[in-house]
Amino acid sequence: MSHLKFFLIILFTIALLCLMPGQQIFAQHQLKGMHPQQQIDFVTKQIKARKEPYLSAYKALLGKADSALLISQHAVEDFSIPGFYVDKETHRRTSRALQVDGFSAYSCALAYQLSGKTKYAEKAIYFLNAWASVNKKYSQLDGSLVMSYAGTALMISADLLKGYKRWQPEEVKQFNWWTKNVFRAAANSIRYRKNNSGDWSRLASILVDTYLEDEEDMQQNISLIKKDLFDKIAADGHLVEEVKRQGKGIWYTYFSLAPLTASSWIIYNQTGENLFTASRDGASFKKALDYLFYYNQHPKEWKFFKNPDTGSVHTATGFWPANLLEAMNGIYPSPQFNDYLAPYRPIMYTTHDYAWTFPTLMPLRLNGYQ
């Protein structure tokens, strides 16, 4: 074989590889965060085989991603959020900037991973760049908390797009600066709290650690979670701090378990340590989930407060705790959970907080994906 012919064969092979969807501009990056590579590969295979509920969930994702293509960013220099119980209307209104942009970025980044269509990656990066270049600080009572529970969507998006070659080096550098100096600063400022605020801030911080490959800070977050996990979950499954929230006790139980379980999922993917099987004096994640599931359906039996708020498909903040239960059904398969969830699939959680956002589409497995 002549040198010229060999060179042409190599050139032609490279050209073919460059035309393959999802590979032409994505450098090798083994995902190990919220969406590990095995999960991405498994879901992609199910979609290609047109299996349910993955196909319907994928179509629902693409619907959200296509809508996001039409949305302009809402980044602000000062993410200033008053305390919810101080000024509910302003809190909700100002929070939406990050909630909308975070979800839009997330839906597009995941759509890119599963479809290979670069229009989704480009739009996700548009939102990431906007917040990285415009947002310089957070303020007021709930600035750090809302940034932690809504900004998780931006961090998951960034991890999904890490290595994307059209994300320019200067843009990545600016995003990394924002990640360290604004987002993680907000999260770490409240990560020593013992309630749901601390849980969300630790999840936010763990997502940063995953993206930046910061093993030292990751270990600090893992230590914090393990240290007080069973101070939070009582032997019967109720969450000690969250049931104190009067009529919002069931909601706050969800609002604590969502980031706690999401952090544990990432810890498992990063280190192999399995907190889902951990227990102390009968307390465990499974006990807490069963407790939440039961009392969300039987609020009149809730002993901590009369007529507590419950989650349903019509809840303004999204269909909780269905998203959490759908995610956890992959770890603790339950006929009760499944019967409750089946009529509502595919389940997405599109507003407010972002831990378990696409649980039907992106199932959890502890023993590999087959």
Side-chain angles (χ1 to χ4, degrees):
M1 182 183 296
S2 70
H3 290 300
L4 177 60
K5 187 174 182 181
F6 179 77
F7 175 78
L8 290 174
I9 291 172
I10 294 297
L11 193 64
F12 180 73
T13 303
I14 292 171
L16 282 177
L17 288 172
C18 288
L19 291 173
M20 292 175 66
Q23 293 186 12
Q24 70 274 30
I25 49 178
F26 204 86
Q28 186 67 29
H29 169 56
Q30 191 70 16
L31 295 166
K32 292 178 66 179
M34 180 61 78
H35 298 301
Q37 194 66 51
Q38 278 191 327
Q39 184 192 59
I40 294 285
D41 294 343
F42 170 80
V43 173
T44 301
K45 184 177 180 181
Q46 306 313 304
I47 293 168
K48 288 180 178 178
R50 304 187 67 79
K51 290 187 177 180
E52 294 291 357
Y54 306 101
L55 183 61
S56 295
Y58 176 62
K59 290 178 179 178
L61 167 68
L62 292 185
K64 295 298 183 183
D66 287 339
S67 295
L69 295 177
L70 307 176
I71 294 175
S72 298
Q73 56 87 10
H74 303 88
V76 293
E77 181 179 3
D78 182 4
F79 190 61
S80 182
I81 312 294
F84 181 74
Y85 294 104
V86 175
D87 185 349
K88 293 181 181 180
E89 182 179 346
T90 302
H91 175 103
R92 290 190 179 108
R93 176 175 51 79
T94 52
S95 295
R96 282 190 59 77
L98 183 53
Q99 290 166 343
V100 170
D101 287 5
F103 177 77
S104 297
Y106 190 179
S107 59
C108 285
L110 188 56
Y112 170 71
Q113 275 285 349
L114 296 176
S115 72
K117 293 183 178 179
T118 58
K119 64 180 180 180
Y120 296 126
E122 300 295 325
K123 190 65 178 189
I125 287 171
Y126 162 80
F127 289 111
L128 298 180
N129 288 344
W131 281 86
S133 60
V134 174
N135 179 229
K136 305 300 182 186
K137 60 182 179 178
Y138 55 93
S139 63
Q140 294 203 69
L141 185 62
D142 278 351
S144 54
L145 174 59
V146 178
M147 182 159 278
S148 294
Y149 71 65
T152 49
L154 291 182
M155 290 313 308
I156 296 169
S157 304
D159 193 54
L160 287 169
L161 292 168
K162 190 174 180 180
Y164 181 77
K165 291 183 179 179
R166 290 185 187 170
W167 195 5
Q168 298 301 315
E170 287 304 310
E171 295 171 342
V172 173
K173 183 178 179 181
Q174 180 63 34
F175 183 81
N176 291 353
W177 180 92
W178 175 83
T179 295
K180 295 174 184 177
N181 295 286
V182 183
F183 183 71
R184 182 159 68 179
N188 286 4
S189 72
I190 58 172
R191 68 173 167 177
Y192 293 96
R193 294 181 182 178
K194 300 298 185 181
N195 64 356
N196 61 81
S197 297
D199 300 329
W200 278 107
S201 64
R202 292 170 190 179
L203 171 59
S205 190
I206 281 175
L207 287 167
V208 172
D209 298 336
T210 300
Y211 171 73
L212 296 177
E213 301 179 16
D214 188 337
E215 294 183 11
E216 182 178 351
D217 194 67
M218 173 71 79
Q219 287 302 320
Q220 189 169 352
N221 281 309
I222 293 172
S223 295
L224 286 171
I225 289 170
K226 292 168 64 175
K227 182 178 179 180
D228 61 16
L229 179 59
F230 293 113
D231 296 330
K232 295 177 178 180
I233 304 175
D236 67 352
H238 81 266
L239 267 63
V240 176
E241 292 299 319
E242 311 312 325
V243 299
K244 298 175 182 177
R245 303 300 289 268
Q246 299 186 348
K248 296 289 186 180
I250 297 177
W251 154 257
Y252 279 108
T253 295
Y254 155 77
F255 199 58
S256 180
L257 284 172
L260 278 170
T261 52
S263 292
S264 299
W265 170 241
I266 297 169
I267 290 168
Y268 176 77
N269 293 329
Q270 284 283 316
T271 71
E273 184 171 7
N274 186 359
L275 297 181
F276 294 107
T277 59
S279 64
R280 190 182 79 187
D281 300 329
S284 65
F285 275 136
K286 182 59 165 64
K287 185 72 72 70
L289 291 163
D290 288 342
Y291 196 92
L292 170 62
F293 176 63
Y294 181 84
Y295 286 103
N296 190 66
Q297 293 182 297
H298 303 89
K300 291 183 179 179
E301 298 179 33
W302 183 253
K303 64 182 179 181
F304 300 99
F305 198 84
K306 290 183 178 180
N307 301 316
D309 291 350
T310 57
S312 73
V313 69
H314 304 295
T315 309
T317 49
F319 189 13
W320 64 272
N323 61 322
L324 169 62
L325 298 174
E326 178 80 322
M328 293 298 101
N329 201 36
I331 292 178
Y332 309 108
S334 163
Q336 291 78 20
F337 286 6
N338 199 62
D339 290 346
Y340 171 68
L341 297 165
Y344 304 107
R345 290 182 177 128
I347 294 168
M348 289 193 299
Y349 194 78
T350 62
T351 58
H352 196 264
D353 55 275
Y354 303 102
W356 302 116
T357 308
F358 303 103
T360 301
L361 179 61
M362 309 303 291
L364 275 59
R365 301 287 187 272
L366 293 179
N367 298 310
Y369 290 82
Q370 303 299 326

